Short mmCIF file of all heavy atoms in Angstrom, two decimals:
data_model
loop_
_atom_site.label_atom_id
_atom_site.label_comp_id
_atom_site.label_asym_id
_atom_site.label_seq_id
_atom_site.Cartn_x
_atom_site.Cartn_y
_atom_site.Cartn_z
N ILE Q 77 136.07 -153.90 -210.09
CA ILE Q 77 137.25 -154.73 -210.29
C ILE Q 77 137.27 -155.31 -211.69
O ILE Q 77 138.29 -155.28 -212.39
CB ILE Q 77 137.30 -155.86 -209.22
CG1 ILE Q 77 137.62 -155.26 -207.85
CG2 ILE Q 77 138.31 -156.93 -209.61
CD1 ILE Q 77 137.44 -156.24 -206.69
N ILE Q 78 136.12 -155.82 -212.13
CA ILE Q 78 136.03 -156.49 -213.43
C ILE Q 78 136.02 -155.50 -214.60
O ILE Q 78 136.76 -155.66 -215.58
CB ILE Q 78 134.79 -157.40 -213.49
CG1 ILE Q 78 134.96 -158.56 -212.50
CG2 ILE Q 78 134.55 -157.93 -214.90
CD1 ILE Q 78 133.69 -159.37 -212.28
N LEU Q 79 135.18 -154.47 -214.50
CA LEU Q 79 134.97 -153.56 -215.64
C LEU Q 79 135.93 -152.38 -215.68
O LEU Q 79 136.25 -151.88 -216.76
CB LEU Q 79 133.53 -153.03 -215.63
CG LEU Q 79 132.42 -154.06 -215.72
CD1 LEU Q 79 131.07 -153.39 -215.52
CD2 LEU Q 79 132.48 -154.79 -217.05
N LEU Q 80 136.35 -151.93 -214.52
CA LEU Q 80 137.12 -150.68 -214.47
C LEU Q 80 138.54 -150.87 -213.97
O LEU Q 80 139.24 -149.90 -213.68
CB LEU Q 80 136.37 -149.67 -213.58
CG LEU Q 80 134.93 -149.37 -214.00
CD1 LEU Q 80 134.21 -148.58 -212.94
CD2 LEU Q 80 134.92 -148.66 -215.35
N ASN Q 81 138.94 -152.13 -213.81
CA ASN Q 81 140.30 -152.47 -213.38
C ASN Q 81 140.68 -151.83 -212.04
O ASN Q 81 141.80 -151.34 -211.86
CB ASN Q 81 141.32 -152.12 -214.48
CG ASN Q 81 142.60 -152.90 -214.31
OD1 ASN Q 81 142.60 -154.02 -213.82
ND2 ASN Q 81 143.71 -152.30 -214.73
N GLU Q 82 139.72 -151.80 -211.11
CA GLU Q 82 139.99 -151.25 -209.79
C GLU Q 82 140.81 -152.24 -208.97
O GLU Q 82 140.94 -153.41 -209.32
CB GLU Q 82 138.69 -150.89 -209.09
CG GLU Q 82 137.98 -149.74 -209.76
CD GLU Q 82 136.69 -149.32 -209.08
OE1 GLU Q 82 136.25 -149.99 -208.13
OE2 GLU Q 82 136.09 -148.33 -209.53
N SER Q 83 141.31 -151.77 -207.86
CA SER Q 83 142.23 -152.55 -207.02
C SER Q 83 141.65 -153.90 -206.60
O SER Q 83 140.47 -154.01 -206.25
CB SER Q 83 142.57 -151.74 -205.77
OG SER Q 83 143.29 -152.52 -204.85
N ARG Q 84 142.53 -154.91 -206.60
CA ARG Q 84 142.18 -156.25 -206.14
C ARG Q 84 143.01 -156.62 -204.91
O ARG Q 84 143.22 -157.80 -204.63
CB ARG Q 84 142.46 -157.29 -207.23
CG ARG Q 84 141.62 -157.19 -208.45
CD ARG Q 84 142.13 -158.14 -209.52
NE ARG Q 84 141.20 -158.30 -210.62
CZ ARG Q 84 141.13 -157.49 -211.66
NH1 ARG Q 84 141.95 -156.46 -211.75
NH2 ARG Q 84 140.25 -157.70 -212.62
N ASP Q 85 143.52 -155.63 -204.19
CA ASP Q 85 144.40 -155.95 -203.06
C ASP Q 85 143.64 -156.67 -201.96
O ASP Q 85 142.43 -156.55 -201.80
CB ASP Q 85 145.13 -154.71 -202.56
CG ASP Q 85 144.22 -153.63 -202.00
OD1 ASP Q 85 143.00 -153.73 -202.19
OD2 ASP Q 85 144.74 -152.69 -201.37
N TRP Q 86 144.35 -157.46 -201.17
CA TRP Q 86 143.72 -158.36 -200.21
C TRP Q 86 142.93 -157.65 -199.13
O TRP Q 86 141.86 -158.13 -198.75
CB TRP Q 86 144.73 -159.37 -199.63
CG TRP Q 86 145.73 -158.77 -198.70
CD1 TRP Q 86 146.97 -158.31 -198.99
CD2 TRP Q 86 145.55 -158.58 -197.29
NE1 TRP Q 86 147.58 -157.82 -197.86
CE2 TRP Q 86 146.73 -157.98 -196.80
CE3 TRP Q 86 144.52 -158.84 -196.40
CZ2 TRP Q 86 146.90 -157.65 -195.47
CZ3 TRP Q 86 144.69 -158.51 -195.06
CH2 TRP Q 86 145.87 -157.93 -194.61
N PRO Q 87 143.35 -156.49 -198.60
CA PRO Q 87 142.50 -155.84 -197.58
C PRO Q 87 141.12 -155.46 -198.14
O PRO Q 87 140.10 -155.59 -197.45
CB PRO Q 87 143.29 -154.60 -197.16
CG PRO Q 87 144.71 -154.92 -197.50
CD PRO Q 87 144.63 -155.77 -198.74
N ARG Q 88 141.10 -155.02 -199.37
CA ARG Q 88 139.82 -154.67 -200.00
C ARG Q 88 138.95 -155.90 -200.17
O ARG Q 88 137.74 -155.87 -199.90
CB ARG Q 88 140.11 -154.02 -201.36
CG ARG Q 88 138.89 -153.45 -202.03
CD ARG Q 88 139.31 -152.55 -203.19
NE ARG Q 88 138.17 -151.76 -203.61
CZ ARG Q 88 137.64 -151.82 -204.82
NH1 ARG Q 88 138.16 -152.60 -205.74
NH2 ARG Q 88 136.61 -151.07 -205.13
#
Side-chain angles (χ1 to χ4, degrees):
I77 290 169
I78 294 169
L79 300 173
L80 304 169
N81 201 30
E82 292 181 354
S83 171
R84 294 172 168 86
D85 63 348
W86 71 267
R88 187 167 194 241

